Amino acid sequence: MNDCIFCKILSGEIPTTKVYEDALCFAFLDIEPLAPTHFLVIPKTHIASAAEISGDMEAVVGHIYGVIAKLCAEKGVTSYRVVTNCGPDAGQTVGHLHFHVLAGRQLSSFN
Ligand code: AMP
Ligand code: ZN
């Protein structure tokens, strides 16, 4: 996708700090961390948001959750939050599906 900053990270056009990569997904540090641990996991296939998850992408999302569990276990992170903002009212600012992984501090409740 031409104007997508996360696709540009995938192509190497925009530099980032890589956390993990495989055939289906890529993980990198968030540039404005909101917690001591804050990385993003994205599918290598561009889709705009969680609202577009269907078909083959459903399995990719399951794979991403497995990768998150593995990465957190490797880092010794036993308590963490996975967040996907979908649409502007939810705070989505980048139009490429991504999963925030936040840990390392007490996170506020949603209520
Ligand atoms: P969201 O607001 O849920 O769409 O999340 C987008 C996230 O992408 C934010 O937490 C940003 O800090 C992060 N972000 C934006 N540009 C970059 C970049 N070039 N490298 C790493 N993280 C980025
Ligand atoms: Zn993209």
Side-chain angles (χ1 to χ4, degrees), residues 5-6 9 14 28-32 38 40 85 91-94 98 100:
I5 60 170
F6 286 176
I9 283 176
I14 294 177
F28 54 101
L29 296 184
D30 196 292
I31 204 167
E32 291 183 48
H38 186 177
L40 303 171
N85 297 319
Q92 184 178 6
T93 60
V94 178
H98 53 282
H100 297 258

PDB file of all heavy atoms in Angstrom, residues 5-6 9 14 28-32 38 40 85 91-94 98 100, ligand 1:
ATOM      1  N   ILE A   5       2.521   3.852   6.357  1.00  0.00           N
ATOM      2  CA  ILE A   5       3.837   3.896   7.017  1.00  0.00           C
ATOM      3  C   ILE A   5       4.269   2.512   7.502  1.00  0.00           C
ATOM      4  O   ILE A   5       5.465   2.215   7.525  1.00  0.00           O
ATOM      5  CB  ILE A   5       3.892   4.922   8.180  1.00  0.00           C
ATOM      6  CG1 ILE A   5       2.896   4.616   9.263  1.00  0.00           C
ATOM      7  CG2 ILE A   5       3.740   6.331   7.668  1.00  0.00           C
ATOM      8  CD1 ILE A   5       3.115   5.469  10.507  1.00  0.00           C
ATOM      9  N   PHE A   6       3.322   1.661   7.855  1.00  0.00           N
ATOM     10  CA  PHE A   6       3.727   0.331   8.317  1.00  0.00           C
ATOM     11  C   PHE A   6       4.169  -0.545   7.135  1.00  0.00           C
ATOM     12  O   PHE A   6       5.078  -1.370   7.285  1.00  0.00           O
ATOM     13  CB  PHE A   6       2.621  -0.331   9.135  1.00  0.00           C
ATOM     14  CG  PHE A   6       2.464   0.266  10.521  1.00  0.00           C
ATOM     15  CD1 PHE A   6       1.446  -0.160  11.363  1.00  0.00           C
ATOM     16  CD2 PHE A   6       3.326   1.243  10.995  1.00  0.00           C
ATOM     17  CE1 PHE A   6       1.295   0.374  12.641  1.00  0.00           C
ATOM     18  CE2 PHE A   6       3.184   1.799  12.264  1.00  0.00           C
ATOM     19  CZ  PHE A   6       2.163   1.358  13.090  1.00  0.00           C
ATOM     20  N   ILE A   9       7.649   0.441   6.683  1.00  0.00           N
ATOM     21  CA  ILE A   9       8.513  -0.247   7.656  1.00  0.00           C
ATOM     22  C   ILE A   9       8.805  -1.664   7.154  1.00  0.00           C
ATOM     23  O   ILE A   9       9.949  -2.131   7.181  1.00  0.00           O
ATOM     24  CB  ILE A   9       7.861  -0.248   9.051  1.00  0.00           C
ATOM     25  CG1 ILE A   9       8.022   1.151   9.685  1.00  0.00           C
ATOM     26  CG2 ILE A   9       8.458  -1.332   9.955  1.00  0.00           C
ATOM     27  CD1 ILE A   9       7.336   1.324  11.018  1.00  0.00           C
ATOM     28  N   ILE A  14      11.210   2.885   5.880  1.00  0.00           N
ATOM     29  CA  ILE A  14      11.251   3.606   7.154  1.00  0.00           C
ATOM     30  C   ILE A  14      11.955   2.696   8.157  1.00  0.00           C
ATOM     31  O   ILE A  14      11.554   1.538   8.336  1.00  0.00           O
ATOM     32  CB  ILE A  14       9.829   3.957   7.654  1.00  0.00           C
ATOM     33  CG1 ILE A  14       9.166   4.952   6.709  1.00  0.00           C
ATOM     34  CG2 ILE A  14       9.870   4.510   9.079  1.00  0.00           C
ATOM     35  CD1 ILE A  14       7.724   5.307   7.080  1.00  0.00           C
ATOM     36  N   PHE A  28       7.835  -4.743  16.040  1.00  0.00           N
ATOM     37  CA  PHE A  28       8.829  -3.669  16.190  1.00  0.00           C
ATOM     38  C   PHE A  28       8.425  -2.773  17.350  1.00  0.00           C
ATOM     39  O   PHE A  28       7.260  -2.736  17.765  1.00  0.00           O
ATOM     40  CB  PHE A  28       8.944  -2.859  14.890  1.00  0.00           C
ATOM     41  CG  PHE A  28       7.645  -2.292  14.363  1.00  0.00           C
ATOM     42  CD1 PHE A  28       7.318  -0.952  14.560  1.00  0.00           C
ATOM     43  CD2 PHE A  28       6.730  -3.096  13.685  1.00  0.00           C
ATOM     44  CE1 PHE A  28       6.130  -0.421  14.083  1.00  0.00           C
ATOM     45  CE2 PHE A  28       5.525  -2.578  13.206  1.00  0.00           C
ATOM     46  CZ  PHE A  28       5.231  -1.240  13.404  1.00  0.00           C
ATOM     47  N   LEU A  29       9.420  -2.023  17.870  1.00  0.00           N
ATOM     48  CA  LEU A  29       9.138  -1.152  19.008  1.00  0.00           C
ATOM     49  C   LEU A  29       8.294   0.034  18.581  1.00  0.00           C
ATOM     50  O   LEU A  29       8.538   0.644  17.524  1.00  0.00           O
ATOM     51  CB  LEU A  29      10.448  -0.642  19.628  1.00  0.00           C
ATOM     52  CG  LEU A  29      11.377  -1.691  20.245  1.00  0.00           C
ATOM     53  CD1 LEU A  29      12.573  -0.989  20.902  1.00  0.00           C
ATOM     54  CD2 LEU A  29      10.645  -2.555  21.268  1.00  0.00           C
ATOM     55  N   ASP A  30       7.313   0.376  19.426  1.00  0.00           N
ATOM     56  CA  ASP A  30       6.527   1.586  19.170  1.00  0.00           C
ATOM     57  C   ASP A  30       7.427   2.802  19.364  1.00  0.00           C
ATOM     58  O   ASP A  30       8.196   2.883  20.321  1.00  0.00           O
ATOM     59  CB  ASP A  30       5.323   1.655  20.113  1.00  0.00           C
ATOM     60  CG  ASP A  30       4.288   2.659  19.631  1.00  0.00           C
ATOM     61  OD1 ASP A  30       4.579   3.877  19.654  1.00  0.00           O
ATOM     62  OD2 ASP A  30       3.191   2.228  19.221  1.00  0.00           O
ATOM     63  N   ILE A  31       7.297   3.771  18.451  1.00  0.00           N
ATOM     64  CA  ILE A  31       8.162   4.949  18.470  1.00  0.00           C
ATOM     65  C   ILE A  31       7.821   5.885  19.636  1.00  0.00           C
ATOM     66  O   ILE A  31       8.661   6.684  20.053  1.00  0.00           O
ATOM     67  CB  ILE A  31       8.062   5.684  17.099  1.00  0.00           C
ATOM     68  CG1 ILE A  31       9.294   6.518  16.827  1.00  0.00           C
ATOM     69  CG2 ILE A  31       6.807   6.515  16.993  1.00  0.00           C
ATOM     70  CD1 ILE A  31       9.402   6.993  15.382  1.00  0.00           C
ATOM     71  N   GLU A  32       6.608   5.785  20.145  1.00  0.00           N
ATOM     72  CA  GLU A  32       6.197   6.599  21.302  1.00  0.00           C
ATOM     73  C   GLU A  32       5.646   5.666  22.379  1.00  0.00           C
ATOM     74  O   GLU A  32       4.430   5.559  22.565  1.00  0.00           O
ATOM     75  CB  GLU A  32       5.122   7.619  20.907  1.00  0.00           C
ATOM     76  CG  GLU A  32       5.627   8.728  20.001  1.00  0.00           C
ATOM     77  CD  GLU A  32       4.544   9.759  19.703  1.00  0.00           C
ATOM     78  OE1 GLU A  32       3.866  10.214  20.647  1.00  0.00           O
ATOM     79  OE2 GLU A  32       4.369  10.069  18.517  1.00  0.00           O
ATOM     80  N   HIS A  38       6.554  -1.827  25.026  1.00  0.00           N
ATOM     81  CA  HIS A  38       5.490  -1.441  24.080  1.00  0.00           C
ATOM     82  C   HIS A  38       5.996  -1.738  22.675  1.00  0.00           C
ATOM     83  O   HIS A  38       6.828  -1.020  22.128  1.00  0.00           O
ATOM     84  CB  HIS A  38       5.130   0.041  24.219  1.00  0.00           C
ATOM     85  CG  HIS A  38       3.945   0.453  23.366  1.00  0.00           C
ATOM     86  ND1 HIS A  38       3.430   1.732  23.385  1.00  0.00           N
ATOM     87  CD2 HIS A  38       3.173  -0.244  22.494  1.00  0.00           C
ATOM     88  CE1 HIS A  38       2.402   1.809  22.558  1.00  0.00           C
ATOM     89  NE2 HIS A  38       2.235   0.617  21.991  1.00  0.00           N
ATOM     90  N   LEU A  40       4.702  -3.341  18.660  1.00  0.00           N
ATOM     91  CA  LEU A  40       3.568  -3.532  17.756  1.00  0.00           C
ATOM     92  C   LEU A  40       3.808  -4.783  16.926  1.00  0.00           C
ATOM     93  O   LEU A  40       4.957  -5.051  16.542  1.00  0.00           O
ATOM     94  CB  LEU A  40       3.425  -2.330  16.809  1.00  0.00           C
ATOM     95  CG  LEU A  40       3.254  -0.958  17.455  1.00  0.00           C
ATOM     96  CD1 LEU A  40       3.340   0.150  16.393  1.00  0.00           C
ATOM     97  CD2 LEU A  40       1.908  -0.865  18.182  1.00  0.00           C
ATOM     98  N   ASN A  85      -6.788  -0.848  18.194  1.00  0.00           N
ATOM     99  CA  ASN A  85      -7.747   0.232  17.989  1.00  0.00           C
ATOM    100  C   ASN A  85      -8.305   0.111  16.577  1.00  0.00           C
ATOM    101  O   ASN A  85      -7.549  -0.035  15.613  1.00  0.00           O
ATOM    102  CB  ASN A  85      -7.062   1.594  18.178  1.00  0.00           C
ATOM    103  CG  ASN A  85      -6.539   1.779  19.589  1.00  0.00           C
ATOM    104  OD1 ASN A  85      -7.211   1.417  20.552  1.00  0.00           O
ATOM    105  ND2 ASN A  85      -5.343   2.329  19.723  1.00  0.00           N
ATOM    106  N   GLY A  91      -9.276   5.572  18.391  1.00  0.00           N
ATOM    107  CA  GLY A  91      -7.898   6.050  18.492  1.00  0.00           C
ATOM    108  C   GLY A  91      -6.954   5.476  17.456  1.00  0.00           C
ATOM    109  O   GLY A  91      -5.739   5.625  17.587  1.00  0.00           O
ATOM    110  N   GLN A  92      -7.494   4.810  16.425  1.00  0.00           N
ATOM    111  CA  GLN A  92      -6.596   4.273  15.395  1.00  0.00           C
ATOM    112  C   GLN A  92      -6.023   5.418  14.555  1.00  0.00           C
ATOM    113  O   GLN A  92      -6.785   6.215  14.000  1.00  0.00           O
ATOM    114  CB  GLN A  92      -7.332   3.277  14.486  1.00  0.00           C
ATOM    115  CG  GLN A  92      -6.377   2.632  13.478  1.00  0.00           C
ATOM    116  CD  GLN A  92      -7.049   1.605  12.572  1.00  0.00           C
ATOM    117  OE1 GLN A  92      -8.267   1.435  12.601  1.00  0.00           O
ATOM    118  NE2 GLN A  92      -6.251   0.937  11.768  1.00  0.00           N
ATOM    119  N   THR A  93      -4.705   5.496  14.485  1.00  0.00           N
ATOM    120  CA  THR A  93      -4.054   6.567  13.721  1.00  0.00           C
ATOM    121  C   THR A  93      -3.274   6.047  12.522  1.00  0.00           C
ATOM    122  O   THR A  93      -2.911   6.822  11.644  1.00  0.00           O
ATOM    123  CB  THR A  93      -3.083   7.366  14.625  1.00  0.00           C
ATOM    124  OG1 THR A  93      -2.089   6.482  15.144  1.00  0.00           O
ATOM    125  CG2 THR A  93      -3.826   8.047  15.768  1.00  0.00           C
ATOM    126  N   VAL A  94      -2.993   4.755  12.494  1.00  0.00           N
ATOM    127  CA  VAL A  94      -2.284   4.157  11.353  1.00  0.00           C
ATOM    128  C   VAL A  94      -3.195   3.100  10.725  1.00  0.00           C
ATOM    129  O   VAL A  94      -3.652   2.182  11.417  1.00  0.00           O
ATOM    130  CB  VAL A  94      -0.946   3.521  11.789  1.00  0.00           C
ATOM    131  CG1 VAL A  94      -0.254   2.860  10.593  1.00  0.00           C
ATOM    132  CG2 VAL A  94      -0.024   4.570  12.416  1.00  0.00           C
ATOM    133  N   HIS A  98      -2.768  -3.456  13.387  1.00  0.00           N
ATOM    134  CA  HIS A  98      -1.632  -3.655  14.295  1.00  0.00           C
ATOM    135  C   HIS A  98      -2.131  -3.965  15.687  1.00  0.00           C
ATOM    136  O   HIS A  98      -3.208  -3.536  16.101  1.00  0.00           O
ATOM    137  CB  HIS A  98      -0.710  -2.437  14.300  1.00  0.00           C
ATOM    138  CG  HIS A  98      -1.390  -1.126  14.565  1.00  0.00           C
ATOM    139  ND1 HIS A  98      -2.102  -0.462  13.592  1.00  0.00           N
ATOM    140  CD2 HIS A  98      -1.477  -0.365  15.687  1.00  0.00           C
ATOM    141  CE1 HIS A  98      -2.590   0.667  14.101  1.00  0.00           C
ATOM    142  NE2 HIS A  98      -2.239   0.742  15.373  1.00  0.00           N
ATOM    143  N   HIS A 100      -0.981  -3.638  19.583  1.00  0.00           N
ATOM    144  CA  HIS A 100      -0.075  -3.102  20.591  1.00  0.00           C
ATOM    145  C   HIS A 100       0.111  -4.163  21.671  1.00  0.00           C
ATOM    146  O   HIS A 100      -0.871  -4.784  22.114  1.00  0.00           O
ATOM    147  CB  HIS A 100      -0.702  -1.882  21.288  1.00  0.00           C
ATOM    148  CG  HIS A 100      -0.964  -0.705  20.410  1.00  0.00           C
ATOM    149  ND1 HIS A 100      -0.146   0.405  20.387  1.00  0.00           N
ATOM    150  CD2 HIS A 100      -1.977  -0.439  19.548  1.00  0.00           C
ATOM    151  CE1 HIS A 100      -0.636   1.303  19.553  1.00  0.00           C
ATOM    152  NE2 HIS A 100      -1.756   0.822  19.033  1.00  0.00           N
TER     153      HIS A 100
HETATM  154  P1  AMP B   1      -2.843   3.486  16.786  1.00  0.00           P
HETATM  155  O1  AMP B   1      -2.936   4.897  17.336  1.00  0.00           O
HETATM  156  O2  AMP B   1      -3.561   2.454  17.576  1.00  0.00           O
HETATM  157  O3  AMP B   1      -3.173   3.463  15.308  1.00  0.00           O
HETATM  158  O4  AMP B   1      -1.318   3.102  16.936  1.00  0.00           O
HETATM  159  C1  AMP B   1      -0.335   3.538  16.059  1.00  0.00           C
HETATM  160  C2  AMP B   1       0.970   3.429  16.786  1.00  0.00           C
HETATM  161  O5  AMP B   1       2.020   3.478  15.820  1.00  0.00           O
HETATM  162  C3  AMP B   1       1.244   4.569  17.778  1.00  0.00           C
HETATM  163  O6  AMP B   1       1.422   4.021  19.088  1.00  0.00           O
HETATM  164  C4  AMP B   1       2.516   5.223  17.245  1.00  0.00           C
HETATM  165  O7  AMP B   1       3.382   5.643  18.264  1.00  0.00           O
HETATM  166  C5  AMP B   1       3.110   4.110  16.409  1.00  0.00           C
HETATM  167  N1  AMP B   1       3.966   4.544  15.328  1.00  0.00           N
HETATM  168  C6  AMP B   1       3.709   5.484  14.392  1.00  0.00           C
HETATM  169  N2  AMP B   1       4.744   5.608  13.543  1.00  0.00           N
HETATM  170  C7  AMP B   1       5.682   4.711  13.946  1.00  0.00           C
HETATM  171  C8  AMP B   1       6.990   4.354  13.487  1.00  0.00           C
HETATM  172  N3  AMP B   1       7.531   4.943  12.408  1.00  0.00           N
HETATM  173  N4  AMP B   1       7.665   3.403  14.170  1.00  0.00           N
HETATM  174  C9  AMP B   1       7.114   2.805  15.248  1.00  0.00           C
HETATM  175  N5  AMP B   1       5.891   3.095  15.733  1.00  0.00           N
HETATM  176  C10 AMP B   1       5.185   4.031  15.093  1.00  0.00           C
END
